[in-house]
Amino acid sequence: MSRRQHEQLPGVLAIDAGNSKTDVALVTADGRVLGTARGGGFQPQLDGYEQTVAALAPLVEAAAAQAGLAPGATPLTSHVSACLANADLPVEEQRLHAALAAHGWGIRTTVANDTFGLLRAGTDGPRGVAVVCGAGINCVGLLPDGRTARWPALGTLTGDWGGGGGLASEAMWHATRAEDGRGGATLLSTMIGAHFGLAGATAVAESMHLGHLDRDRLHEVVRVLFAAAEAGDPIALQLIDRQADEITRLAVIALTRLGLLGEPTPVVLGGGVLAARRPLLIDNVTARLAAAAPLAEPRIVVAPPVLGAALLGLDQLGAGPDAQQRLRDAYADSHPVAA
């Protein structure tokens, strides 16, 4: 009897692991979602590859229990499709693949950077460009022949700027400097303080430094940044304009590298900052794309990113359009919308 005959559920274990949260889903080969679970962020560069992957086990077990599968028995399913944050270099993908495969959750395992999952969620096939702007920022492009465009995405060391974490830090930088006289006045100072119920941005920084405020709440500053920009604050508007420039710059370079600049091509936008569909950012990005890449087709994905990982898994199983549609229908707002 072949090993394949021992799988409990012919289908996909989809894993989307981001910096701030992780989602898993067990999906049948015909696109039905039988079990899901959500956990915290995925940072193997800090916690180690084996330890970080081992922390996924309770989520996998919860999804398996929801699907009615026998606890602890492996393989659970035909294919593990993992789209992971911080899988930025080939060596990182290899190490994460080895760590995942060792758990035996699937007969086969594939690992990709989570931006490829966003791209798949926003397209019907392997052609297009995706820019994710969540906790961080990244971009990938893909052609049907397998050629890709991508970046190391290691933060400021490799020239990255922006994402939610970057925007929040920049807003704090300007706000605290405004308070002590090193920088110009900005609404960010009082608005950040008010958001956290403190005197100002400096008090917020001190509270986070001392552990009175959870540093994970820093991402909330992004909402304050947009509120200040909507109130006309020049510094907040400047930061959002720079973010729009970064997003467009990445997309245009990816299109150029793949020879797609002169062809109608999906440009998928996603991640928490872009999925919020703030007009100040989205309108800026679409205007810049219209000028630099007039044939680009910007579209926004607001569905849970695990959808992309699951679709990639169904691709590996050779699932047809009916299965893919059934899977999309299982997720609210799963269809990309024009930007």
Side-chain angles (χ1 to χ4, degrees):
M1 184 178 291
S2 71
R3 186 185 178 195
R4 184 169 189 80
Q5 291 174 292
H6 289 285
E7 64 197 345
Q8 293 191 62
L9 175 71
V12 178
L13 170 62
I15 302 171
D16 176 84
N19 284 292
S20 58
K21 67 178 182 301
T22 298
D23 282 314
V24 303
L26 272 165
V27 179
T28 63
D30 63 357
R32 290 173 294 124
V33 179
L34 297 189
T36 63
R38 171 169 286 188
F42 186 86
Q43 297 184 322
Q45 77 279 15
L46 299 178
D47 303 324
Y49 296 95
E50 290 78 11
Q51 183 175 344
T52 304
V53 169
L56 299 175
L59 302 181
V60 175
E61 292 168 5
Q66 195 177 112
L69 303 184
T74 56
L76 287 173
T77 190
S78 315
H79 189 81
V80 176
S81 175
C83 293
L84 310 176
N86 303 303
D88 296 308
L89 304 176
V91 65
E92 292 173 322
E93 291 181 349
Q94 293 163 11
R95 290 172 178 171
L96 288 165
H97 182 277
L100 278 162
H103 285 269
W105 291 321
I107 294 171
R108 296 185 307 278
T109 299
T110 56
V111 171
N113 181 271
D114 57 345
T115 315
F116 284 103
L118 171 65
L119 177 61
R120 183 62 182 88
T123 58
D124 293 324
R127 181 181 177 278
V129 167
V131 181
V132 63
C133 189
I137 188 168
N138 200 1
C139 175
V140 300
L142 181 63
L143 290 176
D145 63 10
R147 282 181 292 157
T148 63
R150 58 188 302 184
W151 279 258
L154 304 180
T156 54
L157 291 175
T158 53
D160 305 329
W161 187 92
L167 286 174
S169 294
E170 289 283 341
M172 288 292 295
W173 189 87
H174 283 284
T176 54
R177 288 172 66 89
E179 290 175 7
D180 65 25
R182 288 177 292 172
T186 170
L187 293 174
L188 290 167
S189 299
T190 55
M191 291 179 71
I192 289 172
H195 177 80
F196 292 99
L198 295 171
T202 302
V204 171
E206 292 174 356
S207 188
M208 287 186 176
H209 174 73
L210 294 171
H212 302 148
L213 266 180
D214 190 337
R215 195 174 182 83
D216 288 343
R217 294 188 63 191
L218 184 63
H219 70 89
E220 297 174 22
V221 172
V222 177
R223 298 200 297 271
V224 181
L225 171 66
F226 276 94
E230 289 161 1
D233 183 74
I235 288 177
L237 286 166
Q238 177 187 350
L239 290 176
I240 292 170
D241 185 64
R242 183 179 176 187
Q243 182 71 88
D245 178 70
E246 286 290 317
I247 291 165
T248 307
R249 194 177 297 268
L250 285 166
V252 170
I253 293 172
L255 289 166
T256 303
R257 287 181 181 177
L258 296 177
L260 295 172
L261 193 59
E263 302 178 18
T265 304
V267 174
V268 181
L269 307 173
V273 175
L274 284 164
R277 292 187 277 188
R278 299 271 191 170
L280 276 176
L281 178 60
I282 297 300
D283 292 351
N284 194 327
V285 170
T286 54
R288 288 175 179 273
L289 277 174
L295 296 181
E297 301 169 349
R299 53 185 69 169
I300 302 171
V301 170
V302 297
V306 72
L307 170 65
L311 286 167
L312 287 170
L314 289 181
D315 291 343
Q316 290 290 323
L317 298 182
D322 288 346
Q324 295 177 19
Q325 187 61 50
R326 189 174 291 112
L327 175 60
R328 286 189 182 276
D329 290 343
Y331 287 93
D333 300 319
S334 66
H335 299 277
V337 295

